[in-house]
């Protein structure tokens, strides 16, 4: 039995195979209509979600399976004080696979230790979000035709942004990628990443999006993560640090790809949505196909 708790739980060749499978499902959805017939997905979301939960659920329905679960801690026995481990142990008697989101870093790891079925981390606090990374990778592959040899700008809340941390762990494994981290001082990429996986990487940090725009192949925008701040005044001061507008895109490459895991608040102006370089709604769509491919893999189903 395998879980997906961290993107590094998958080897590069496994990620490449998932990308291939997701692309095939995308092109031939009818061929997969019964692939997970009779299987049940439980979505255990202790924290709000639109895309991740609903794309997991749509993915399971489209593969012929069905879905149970809850969308907030308030409507589960967590509200009565039940531990995550007991919840997951219980649900693994009812479902074949679990997708779980939790505000506490490491909760999916603790849950997986007690689960009788595969557990997928659907986001844990400010730590990781591996299935968003799968959606991001499919977007980059579709747009650029490759996952290496790219200059990747990551902008916004690089401290609490779990999608940034997971994507970095994935992109660092492909050759010749360069990283530019654009953030205010308070939201810089965590030191443990700089001392760890980035130690021998080609990266630099800066505060100005405009300054680096012309060199980027990918611009990965992020929301300032209000829910992770201890102090509302700090959030208000930092929330509009970066707002991508058509004016700021004027110096960008014509084939830049703008990604954002969404939800967006104010960091990408709505008029940018009409720019052909805006890829964030394609990311939403690809996320469903990658989650289909992932659930098939973890459930040991080829087609
Ligand atoms: N990208 C993402 O995780 O979105 P949701 O919070 O809506 O699931």
């Amino acid at each position: 039995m395998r879980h997906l708790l961290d993107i590094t739980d998958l080897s590069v060749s496994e990620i490449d195979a998932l990308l291939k499978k997701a692309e095939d499902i995308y092109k031939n959805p009818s061929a997969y209509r019964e692939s997970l017939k009779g299987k049940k997905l439980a979505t255990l979301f202790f924290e709000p979600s639109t895309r991740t939960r609903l794309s997991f659920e749509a993915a399971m329905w489209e593969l012929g399976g069905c879905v149970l679960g809850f969308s907030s801690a308030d409507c589960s026995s967590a509200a009565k004080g039940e531990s995550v481990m007991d919840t997951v142990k219980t649900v693994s008697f009812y479902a074949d696979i679990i997708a779980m989101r939790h505000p506490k870093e490491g909760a999916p790891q603790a849950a997986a230790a007690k689960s009788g079925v595969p557990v997928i981390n659907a986001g844990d606090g400010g730590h990781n979000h591996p299935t968003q990374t799968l959606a991001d990778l499919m977007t980059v592959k579709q747009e650029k035709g490759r996952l290496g040899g790219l200059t990747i700008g990551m902008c916004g809340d690089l401290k609490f942004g779990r999608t940034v941390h997971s994507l970095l762990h994935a992109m660092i494994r492909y050759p010749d990628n360069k990283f530019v981290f654009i953030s205010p001082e308070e939201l810089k990429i965590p030191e443990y990443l700089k001392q760890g996986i980035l130690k021998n990487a080609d990266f630099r940090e800066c505060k100005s999006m405009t300054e680096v725009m012309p060199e980027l192949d990918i611009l990965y925008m992020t929301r300032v993560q209000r829910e992770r701040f201890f102090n509302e005044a700090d959030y208000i001061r930092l929330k509009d640090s970066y707002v991508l507008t058509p004016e700021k895109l004027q110096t960008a490459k014509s084939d830049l790809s703008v990604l954002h895991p969404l939800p967006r608040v104010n960091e990408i102006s709505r008029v940018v949505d009409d720019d052909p370089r805006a890829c964030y709604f394609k990311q939403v769509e690809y996320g469903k196909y990658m989650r289909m491919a992932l659930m098939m893999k973890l459930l040991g189903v080829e087609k």
Side-chain angles (χ1 to χ4, degrees):
M1 182 174 72
R2 287 195 57 190
H3 307 289
L4 179 67
L5 304 174
D6 187 300
I7 195 67
T8 56
D9 292 341
L10 295 168
S11 68
V12 171
S13 60
E14 286 178 312
I15 289 176
D16 292 343
L18 284 175
L19 287 163
K20 222 166 148 191
K21 175 63 71 70
E23 195 179 329
D24 194 53
I25 304 172
Y26 178 60
K27 288 183 181 155
N28 311 294
S30 58
Y32 293 87
R33 219 167 265 154
E34 302 213 328
S35 296
L36 294 186
K37 194 172 175 196
K39 298 291 184 192
K40 284 175 280 177
L41 162 72
T43 51
L44 311 184
F45 277 61
F46 297 83
E47 203 185 53
S49 166
T50 296
R51 276 147 293 274
T52 311
R53 185 173 66 84
L54 297 181
S55 69
F56 262 116
E57 296 189 357
M60 186 48 108
W61 287 119
E62 288 181 33
L63 291 169
C66 51
V67 173
L68 61 154
F70 52 81
S71 59
S72 82
D74 291 349
C75 58
S76 78
S77 284
K80 300 178 218 160
E82 185 168 62
S83 71
V84 164
M85 281 94 83
D86 284 357
T87 302
V88 166
K89 189 166 183 168
T90 300
V91 173
S92 61
F93 294 121
Y94 310 145
D96 301 290
I97 189 163
I98 291 171
M100 178 186 144
R101 171 171 290 187
H102 201 281
K104 285 218 174 85
E105 288 84 358
Q109 278 82 353
K114 297 288 175 195
S115 177
V117 300
V119 173
I120 301 171
N121 178 2
D124 61 326
H127 188 215
N128 277 318
H129 193 346
T131 65
Q132 179 62 47
T133 301
L134 295 176
D136 301 343
L137 294 176
M138 183 167 177
T139 311
V140 174
K141 189 77 198 294
Q142 294 286 319
E143 292 299 309
K144 297 284 175 223
R146 65 188 194 281
L147 292 170
L150 297 165
T151 301
I152 302 151
M154 295 178 158
C155 177
D157 186 347
L158 309 184
K159 178 179 178 184
F160 296 118
R162 59 193 174 198
T163 65
V164 167
H165 306 156
S166 281
L167 182 59
L168 195 52
H169 274 93
M171 293 304 275
I172 204 115
R173 296 199 283 173
Y174 289 90
D176 305 321
N177 282 328
K178 295 181 191 168
F179 301 92
V180 185
F181 300 121
I182 311 151
S183 73
E185 188 62 32
E186 297 89 334
L187 299 177
K188 281 168 79 169
I189 198 90
E191 208 55 39
Y192 78 90
L193 291 172
K194 283 194 267 179
Q195 302 299 330
I197 56 163
L198 286 165
K199 201 164 182 177
N200 299 311
D202 185 340
F203 81 92
R204 72 181 202 272
E205 297 177 279
C206 69
K207 294 198 172 64
S208 163
M209 181 203 285
T210 327
E211 182 189 308
V212 298
M213 189 67 87
E215 62 191 272
L216 303 180
D217 299 305
I218 306 287
L219 173 59
Y220 194 87
M221 294 295 296
T222 61
R223 171 178 70 90
V224 174
Q225 305 272 303
R226 181 181 202 158
E227 62 275 32
R228 317 261 175 249
F229 276 68
F230 292 109
N231 178 333
E232 181 72 1
D234 283 348
Y235 168 72
I236 290 170
R237 183 169 53 80
L238 294 167
K239 72 184 173 67
D240 293 326
S241 298
Y242 302 98
V243 180
L244 185 65
T245 59
E247 294 69 38
K248 289 191 184 130
L249 280 170
Q250 273 173 7
T251 60
K253 289 183 180 174
S254 59
D255 65 346
L256 170 75
S257 299
V258 180
L259 277 69
H260 188 311
L262 304 180
R264 140 180 73 182
V265 183
N266 201 32
E267 56 282 355
I268 302 181
S269 154
R270 277 174 177 59
V271 278
V272 172
D273 298 1
D274 299 326
D275 189 304
R277 292 170 288 188
C279 299
Y280 28 93
F281 286 105
K282 289 182 192 168
Q283 246 172 301
V284 172
E285 187 184 9
Y286 295 147
K288 183 180 72 176
Y289 295 103
M290 286 306 282
R291 289 176 178 114
M292 288 165 115
L294 175 66
M295 286 193 289
M296 287 176 63
K297 177 180 174 62
L298 295 182
L299 288 168
V301 174
E302 271 301 309
K303 190 148 187 174

